[in-house]
Amino acid sequence: MSDTTDCVLTPRVPLEGFDPLGIATYRASTITFKDATAYAARGDRGDRGYSYGLYGTPTTRALEDKLSRLEQASRTFLAPSGQAANALAILPLVAKGDHVLLADTVYPPMRDFAQTDLVRLGVTVEFFDPTSSDDIRNRLTPMTRIIWCESPGSTTMEVMNLREVGGIAHSAGALLGVDNTWATPLNLKPLSLGADIVTEALTKYVSGHSDVIMGSISVCDAGIASSIKRFIGRMGIGVSSDDATLVLRGSETLALRLRHQADVGLRLAQRLATHPLVARVLHPALPEDPGHPLFRQDFLGASGVFSLTFAPNIVPFVAPALDCLQLFAIGASWGGTRSLVAPMTVRASRTATVWPGADLVLRLSIGIEDETELWEDLSRFLNTLQELSRTA
């Protein structure tokens, strides 16, 4: 053949005897077939077959299968982000006239999606008190299709009785969906507690290095899986095999990282709880936390994310005091190797409950830096906060 053609055609080298620990990064849009008959019958390949890169490569399938094992699911789908996973889990399962209930503590973009896009499509949206099963029962209607939960709640860490909520949902003919990003499938198995859908922001703990954005949807029911699969296909949504490789690599150390971050986080939370400037430490693994009994009942462990609140007279000085931090970075997201702080306001994102106290919650994500140096950094922040409040 000519040099021009040889530039285009890449030789197929034998793979026999080549058995690396990590799966290859398979990039593909077009997938070829051995003959026209095989191409015409490509639909017969089923869910595990390959027909076009958008619908999966060996790399993305490997990540889906790993997540399915961890989630105890029959099928997992990948999405471009955690919030994309949330939206893609709900949209194919609701229609005009349906009713969706969401915990009042859901991830703020999820609230915005519900109030903007679901409402625009003719879906009625309500929020409920995540600590009250009676509130859920009272808000159910014959058109309720999905009850959407986070446990613990985003930023403010309220723990839900997922077993009970699942029973309530199913008795009403509704589905239970759970955003499980805080706990990861290592520390909470929502599908085993009665959930029908579980989503993860793989961006956070599973990838673990703050350099990739991805989400997942895991289910057990074949009908739900089929609806989500077809909807994702109609929307033309896929993920990069390169990103899937990064998540696969990060997932190999997930158990070690998460255990360390949870242990260090809990010890730091215990020390912070005794400081006079800290009003409350919001962490379900602390025995004094209101959600601790449910945490002990359902969770296999904690993560390294928790929050602090302060007295109203201290709040104005929190932001300037954060500037003294040397190890903790100020930034959104969490679950990576670097420790983060993020000052959050929550009152505007509550409609079914009332947030008590000052409208500032400081969320901490503990990384894998030296524990002593992390405490020194937090002490530096608290000392600065105290000095600023004294001299005001």
Side-chain angles (χ1 to χ4, degrees):
M1 291 187 180
S2 69
D3 288 349
T4 300
T5 300
D6 280 337
C7 284
V8 176
L9 302 182
T10 300
R12 299 287 185 177
V13 298
L15 296 179
E16 183 180 354
F18 181 72
D19 190 20
L21 289 174
I23 190 168
T25 303
Y26 290 96
R27 305 178 185 90
S29 54
T30 298
I31 293 171
T32 60
F33 297 79
K34 66 178 181 179
D35 52 40
T37 300
Y39 180 73
R42 63 191 182 279
D44 298 337
R45 292 185 169 188
D47 286 345
R48 303 302 297 177
Y50 298 102
S51 60
Y52 189 65
L54 181 68
Y55 307 119
T57 69
T59 310
T60 59
R61 295 278 173 81
L63 177 55
E64 289 171 347
D65 288 354
K66 175 177 279 196
L67 293 168
S68 289
R69 289 199 301 271
L70 292 173
E71 300 280 7
Q72 299 178 356
S74 63
R75 188 72 192 272
T76 293
F77 304 95
L78 302 178
S81 70
Q83 176 55 20
N86 292 341
L88 292 170
I90 289 182
L91 281 170
L93 304 176
V94 296
K96 182 178 180 180
D98 286 345
H99 179 242
V100 173
L101 284 170
L102 300 96
D104 206 31
T105 51
V106 292
Y107 181 49
M110 189 60 175
R111 175 180 287 269
D112 189 22
F113 160 74
Q115 293 178 317
T116 303
D117 299 293
L118 290 183
V119 169
R120 176 174 52 84
L121 296 173
V123 176
T124 302
V125 169
E126 277 192 87
F127 296 88
F128 62 86
D129 181 347
T131 65
S132 172
S133 297
D134 287 339
D135 192 38
I136 299 173
R137 292 189 184 94
N138 292 337
R139 295 177 188 271
L140 284 171
T141 78
M143 299 306 293
T144 303
R145 294 292 175 260
I146 296 176
I147 299 176
W148 191 263
C149 303
E150 284 185 36
S151 184
S154 185
T155 304
T156 48
M157 303 292 159
E158 295 86 350
V159 180
M160 296 186 61
N161 190 334
L162 293 178
R163 295 177 189 271
E164 187 173 20
V165 177
I168 294 170
H170 298 152
S171 67
L175 301 173
L176 174 62
V178 178
D179 182 334
N180 192 41
T181 302
W182 183 89
T184 83
L186 299 191
N187 286 330
L188 184 67
K189 312 279 188 185
L191 293 174
S192 73
L193 299 178
D196 302 284
I197 305 163
V198 58
T199 61
E200 308 277 354
L202 306 177
T203 307
K204 296 180 170 65
Y205 277 117
V206 180
S207 65
H209 291 77
S210 306
D211 57 2
V212 64
I213 297 176
M214 193 178 293
S216 65
I217 310 163
S218 296
V219 300
C220 286
D221 181 84
I224 296 173
S226 178
S227 295
I228 293 173
K229 177 180 182 293
R230 287 184 282 116
F231 183 78
I232 289 174
R234 292 194 300 273
M235 294 297 103
I237 292 170
V239 302
S240 160
S241 292
D242 293 86
D243 286 348
T245 295
L246 290 175
V247 178
L248 280 165
R249 185 172 65 179
S251 70
E252 293 184 8
T253 59
L254 171 61
L256 297 175
R257 287 185 287 103
L258 190 58
R259 188 181 304 118
H260 173 79
Q261 289 164 294
D263 289 346
V264 173
L266 184 58
R267 288 193 291 269
L268 293 177
Q270 290 167 335
R271 298 179 76 168
L272 288 165
T274 65
H275 197 281
L277 291 184
V278 176
R280 287 182 62 198
V281 176
L282 310 176
H283 194 320
L286 290 175
E288 60 269 26
D289 189 273
H292 187 68
L294 284 172
F295 176 82
R296 288 288 302 276
Q297 172 184 292
D298 293 336
F299 288 72
L300 302 171
S303 80
V305 176
F306 61 95
S307 299
L308 310 177
T309 67
F310 304 89
N313 64 306
I314 300 298
V315 167
F317 309 105
V318 172
L322 291 175
D323 293 342
C324 77
L325 291 169
Q326 296 177 8
L327 279 183
F328 281 84
I330 302 172
S333 197
W334 36 267
T337 59
R338 181 75 182 272
S339 293
L340 299 173
V341 295
M344 317 282 286
T345 58
V346 297
R347 188 169 293 151
S349 297
R350 297 288 187 272
T351 53
T353 58
V354 177
W355 175 248
D359 191 22
L360 182 136
V361 177
L362 187 65
R363 188 181 66 199
L364 282 72
S365 172
I366 304 305
I368 60 173
E369 304 94 339
D370 180 80
E371 180 177 349
T372 300
E373 292 174 345
L374 286 175
W375 177 248
E376 290 172 353
D377 209 30
L378 289 172
S379 298
R380 186 180 301 111
F381 160 71
L382 292 169
N383 291 337
T384 302
L385 186 60
Q386 190 165 48
E387 185 63 26
L388 289 173
S389 64
R390 280 177 179 169
T391 57

